[in-house]
């Protein structure tokens, strides 16, 4: 009798678990089925800090195929907000005077927000989305934009790469901003994570540790002063970044320990930064 | 005065710890600002006299205006609270949810109101945001009222915000924007 009761309890637990999984998948499937657009993007890490991208957004045509180009987008982000060579913010204008009266803080430094790169970025985006855009004149037209701080060759490279991108499946992280950065205080410094999504999939994820003196672990490694423990941590970070992007899972193994900070801070940070 | 001023310094300290990030330049800048503000405060003059703590932007359904947000009861340094002395600071600006269509035509509107117990609430300002793709691009402030927003001699304004992110054809039904900014309301 007791054995039968135990079996019944196990069956009920499995049943409840199965319903939970079905409901969770239903939510994800609902998002995928409802999507009326397809994004194709090409990315390039142009420097240690910067990832540039070019995206084409497609809508469905009358045959329900993603053939109608909705929009072009170009940009770049410094996922760890390390590049201090520019100032970043969104300009605030007064409608009456048309003057810029302030700048507002952004979460992740981007080409669109840099005082040196904003104008170029807007010129590029507006050009591609204008009736004047013709693929055969691309090189010539970009030269005529007279870009000051963005190399038109990287734009051309990314655009051509984007045209060759295959369709991908919408990922499980779609209900998050497509780029974000977050920090979490640890005992002896700060853990920082930044990511870029591609159609709901984590495309890039960067992790770093910032000591209380402001130095980044990723910068210390480049010098000759890094300790063995710091080198070990840095290599673990690189492995972890690759693993997360490859598996699309944010679970951290319990035996994945760092010397410079408690992994609990990183786990908490990831759970706050990206929702599944 | 010191308790209200303390709230402003607390805001700056908050900026230092979280939203200022660990960009050393920003840390130094905000520390200097806090120090200057403390000196100015002691001399009797103030920038933002009172300000709310940072409020998370709402998780919005595109096409639907949000209900009334958190109300801040804010004192002006002047005898009567006026429209010109209201301020809204946005920070931690991100992009909208990746499940929504990328569109340069999308807009986000932030409507600043002053609560009026006797009449309709005053619509003081509108913050109109543009997008590039899914990322916020620029903001323009339109001030709808001038002069007093409270009775003469009443320097306390009760401010709140409502928001609207426009819907673009192709946005999946039922999908929300996510909370993609934080804001604080203040009075000079």
């Amino acid at each position: 009798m007791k054995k039968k009761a135990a079996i019944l309890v196990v069956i009920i637990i499995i049943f409840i678990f199965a319903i939970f999984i079905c409901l969770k998948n239903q939510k994800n499937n609902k998002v995928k089925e409802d999507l009326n657009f397809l994004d194709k993007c090409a990315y390039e890490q142009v420097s240690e800090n910067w990832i540039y991208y070019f995206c084409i957004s497609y809508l469905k045509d009358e045959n329900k195929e993603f053939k109608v180009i909705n929009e072009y987008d170009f940009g770049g982000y410094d996922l760890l907000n390390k590049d201090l060579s520019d100032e970043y913010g969104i300009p605030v204008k007064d409608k009456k005077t048309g003057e810029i009266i302030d700048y507002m803080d952004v979460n992740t430094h981007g080409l669109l927000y840099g005082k040196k790169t904003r104008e170029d970025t807007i010129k590029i985006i507006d050009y591609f989305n204008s009736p004047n855009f013709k693929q055969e004149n691309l090189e010539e037209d970009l030269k005529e934009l007279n870009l000051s701080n963005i190399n038109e060759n990287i734009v051309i490279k990314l655009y051509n790469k984007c045209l060759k991108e295959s369709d991908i499946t919408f990922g499980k992280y779609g209900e998050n901003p497509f780029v974000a950065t977050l920090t979490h205080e640890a005992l002896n410094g700060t853990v920082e994570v930044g990511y870029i999504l591609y159609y709901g999939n984590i495309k890039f994820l960067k992790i770093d540790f910032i000591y209380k003196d402001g130095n980044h672990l990723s910068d210390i490694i480049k010098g000759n002063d890094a300790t063995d423990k710091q080198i070990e941590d840095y290599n673990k970070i690189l492995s972890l970044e690759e693993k997360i992007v490859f598996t699309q899972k944010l679970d951290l193994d319990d035996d994945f320990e760092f010397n410079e900070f408690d992994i609990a801070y990183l786990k908490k940070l990831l759970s706050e930064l990206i929702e599944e | 005065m010191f308790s209200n001023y303390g709230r402003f310094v607390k805001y700056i300290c908050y900026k230092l710890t979280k939203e200022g990030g660990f960009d050393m330049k920003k840390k130094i800048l905000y520390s200097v600002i806090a120090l200057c503000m403390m000196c100015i405060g002691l001399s009797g003059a103030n920038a933002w006299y009172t300000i709310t703590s940072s409020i998370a932007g709402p998780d919005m359904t595109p096409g639907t205006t949000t209900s009334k947000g958190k109300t801040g009861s804010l004192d002006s340094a002047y005898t009567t609270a006026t429209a010109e002395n209201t301020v809204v600071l946005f920070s931690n600006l991100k992009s909208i949810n990746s499940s929504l269509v990328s569109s340069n035509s999308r807009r986000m509107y932030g409507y600043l109101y002053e609560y009026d117990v006797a009449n309709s609430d005053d619509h003081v300002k509108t913050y109109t945001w543009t997008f590039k793709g899914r990322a916020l691009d620029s903001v323009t402030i339109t001030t709808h009222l001038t002069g007093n927003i409270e009775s003469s001699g009443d320097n306390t304004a009760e401010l709140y915000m409502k928001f609207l992110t426009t819907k673009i054809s192709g946005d999946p039904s039922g999908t929300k924007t996510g909370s993609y900014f934080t804001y604080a309301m203040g009075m000079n």
Side-chain angles (χ1 to χ4, degrees):
Chain A
M1 192 62 191
K2 276 188 183 176
K3 196 176 172 182
K4 280 186 183 172
I7 292 169
L8 189 61
V9 166
V10 168
I11 290 170
I12 289 170
I13 289 170
I14 292 170
F15 183 66
I16 291 169
F17 185 69
I19 290 174
F20 171 73
I21 295 294
C22 284
L23 285 172
K24 191 174 174 208
N25 286 341
Q26 202 173 39
K27 180 192 171 200
N28 286 341
N29 287 340
K30 183 177 187 303
V31 172
K32 288 170 202 166
E33 282 160 13
D34 285 353
L35 279 185
N36 294 317
F37 66 91
L38 169 69
D39 289 345
K40 288 191 187 181
C41 299
Y43 297 85
E44 180 121 343
Q45 184 151 357
V46 301
S47 68
E48 187 215 339
N49 297 324
W50 287 90
I51 294 165
Y52 285 22
Y53 65 88
F54 192 99
C55 292
I56 304 174
S57 174
Y58 296 88
L59 297 177
K60 286 179 181 171
D61 62 12
E62 56 275 3
N63 298 321
K64 302 213 172 174
E65 291 181 12
F66 289 114
K67 294 270 173 75
V68 178
I69 293 177
N70 168 46
E71 208 165 76
Y72 298 94
D73 191 18
F74 167 79
Y77 285 94
D78 172 13
L79 294 187
L80 297 176
N81 292 336
K82 277 177 73 177
D83 186 353
L84 304 179
S85 64
D86 199 353
E87 295 169 63
Y88 300 93
I90 291 184
V92 183
K93 282 187 197 172
D94 182 281
K95 184 159 185 184
K96 201 172 170 183
T97 62
E99 286 176 7
I100 293 176
I101 57 174
D102 200 359
Y103 284 85
M104 301 224 188
D105 279 344
V106 292
N107 174 263
T108 310
H109 294 170
L111 294 177
L112 186 61
Y113 308 127
K115 287 193 180 164
K116 293 178 188 171
T117 52
R118 178 177 170 80
E119 197 179 318
D120 281 358
T121 307
I122 291 174
K123 277 183 189 175
I124 294 165
I125 293 172
D126 287 351
Y127 161 68
F128 276 98
N129 288 297
S130 74
N132 298 330
F133 166 57
K134 285 187 176 58
Q135 190 174 333
E136 56 269 26
N137 298 339
L138 178 59
E139 211 171 309
E140 203 180 299
D141 288 347
L142 282 178
K143 280 195 171 67
E144 286 181 11
L145 291 183
N146 291 318
L147 304 176
S148 310
N149 292 299
I150 294 175
N151 189 330
E152 64 257 23
N153 291 325
I154 187 70
V155 181
I156 295 167
K157 183 180 178 184
L158 282 169
Y159 169 73
N160 288 326
K161 201 171 159 186
C162 187
L163 291 178
K164 294 174 189 162
E165 285 291 317
S166 312
D167 291 5
I168 67 166
T169 309
F170 192 73
K172 60 182 179 178
Y173 299 104
E175 301 209 11
N176 289 281
F178 82 92
V179 59
T181 304
L182 191 62
T183 58
H184 198 298
E185 284 238 33
L187 281 175
N188 55 335
T190 305
V191 185
E192 187 175 31
V193 180
Y195 72 82
I196 285 182
L197 299 182
Y198 175 16
Y199 206 47
N201 302 279
I202 300 172
K203 182 70 179 175
F204 289 91
L205 186 122
K206 297 279 182 194
I207 301 168
D208 207 347
F209 184 70
I210 309 165
Y211 294 89
K212 284 201 187 293
D213 61 6
N215 285 317
H216 289 71
L217 175 63
S218 55
D219 290 332
I220 292 171
I221 294 300
K222 286 183 229 162
N224 298 322
D225 299 331
T227 64
D228 289 342
K229 286 185 177 180
Q230 286 173 326
I231 294 170
E232 186 186 0
D233 273 5
Y234 183 69
N235 289 330
K236 279 185 186 175
I237 282 174
L238 292 181
S239 297
L240 184 56
E241 288 171 354
E242 270 182 40
K243 184 186 168 197
I244 289 173
V245 171
F246 181 74
T247 62
Q248 293 293 305
K249 288 180 183 174
L250 298 169
D251 305 323
L252 302 183
D253 296 329
D254 281 336
D255 57 2
F256 211 114
E257 294 294 335
F258 292 95
N259 299 304
E260 300 297 287
F261 58 91
D262 190 331
I263 197 170
Y265 295 112
L266 180 58
K267 282 184 182 177
K268 187 163 169 59
L269 201 160
L270 285 171
S271 69
E272 286 173 11
L273 182 62
I274 317 178
E275 284 181 28
E276 289 192 39
Chain B
M1 185 187 88
F2 281 107
S3 65
N4 289 334
Y5 190 74
R7 276 154 66 185
F8 172 71
V9 174
K10 191 178 167 186
Y11 171 76
I12 293 292
C13 290
Y14 177 74
K15 289 281 283 186
L16 277 170
T17 56
K18 188 172 181 183
E19 289 176 25
F22 282 83
D23 175 339
M24 279 307 291
K25 239 182 168 176
K26 272 191 184 171
K27 267 182 100 169
I28 294 165
L29 177 65
Y30 281 122
S31 302
V32 168
I33 289 171
L35 208 57
C36 289
M37 288 295 107
M38 286 173 79
C39 296
I40 290 167
L42 289 169
S43 74
N46 284 289
W48 309 305
Y49 191 66
T50 54
I51 196 156
T52 63
S53 55
S54 199
I55 303 167
D59 186 6
M60 295 178 251
T61 300
T64 304
T65 304
T66 63
S67 53
K68 186 175 162 181
K70 188 175 174 184
T71 301
S73 186
L74 298 156
D75 295 341
S76 172
Y78 300 91
T79 312
T80 309
T82 62
E84 292 84 356
N85 285 320
T86 59
V87 65
V88 181
L89 304 172
F90 291 83
S91 57
N92 201 27
L93 299 158
K94 297 180 193 171
S95 67
I96 52 173
N97 186 326
S98 305
S99 300
L100 296 170
V101 172
S102 169
S103 175
N104 297 343
S105 303
R106 196 183 297 274
R107 297 287 181 268
M108 194 270 281
Y109 300 99
Y111 306 110
L112 177 66
Y113 288 90
E114 202 281 326
Y115 172 72
D116 189 326
V117 66
N119 305 302
S120 309
D121 295 347
D122 295 321
H123 179 193
V124 183
K125 287 178 178 172
T126 298
Y127 292 76
T128 303
W129 292 83
T130 59
F131 283 79
K132 287 291 184 211
R134 296 185 182 87
L136 286 167
D137 172 40
S138 69
V139 59
T140 304
I141 304 174
T142 306
T143 304
H144 302 291
L145 298 176
T146 55
N148 294 349
I149 51 175
E150 286 289 357
S151 308
S152 183
D154 183 356
N155 73 331
T156 304
E158 290 75 31
L159 301 178
Y160 66 89
M161 300 284 296
K162 289 184 179 182
F163 295 92
L164 166 66
T165 299
T166 58
K167 187 175 167 70
I168 298 294
S169 174
D171 280 344
S173 58
T175 298
K176 293 193 169 190
T177 61
S179 170
Y180 58 102
F181 57 86
T182 56
Y183 69 99
M185 300 172 292
M187 285 294 298
N188 289 320

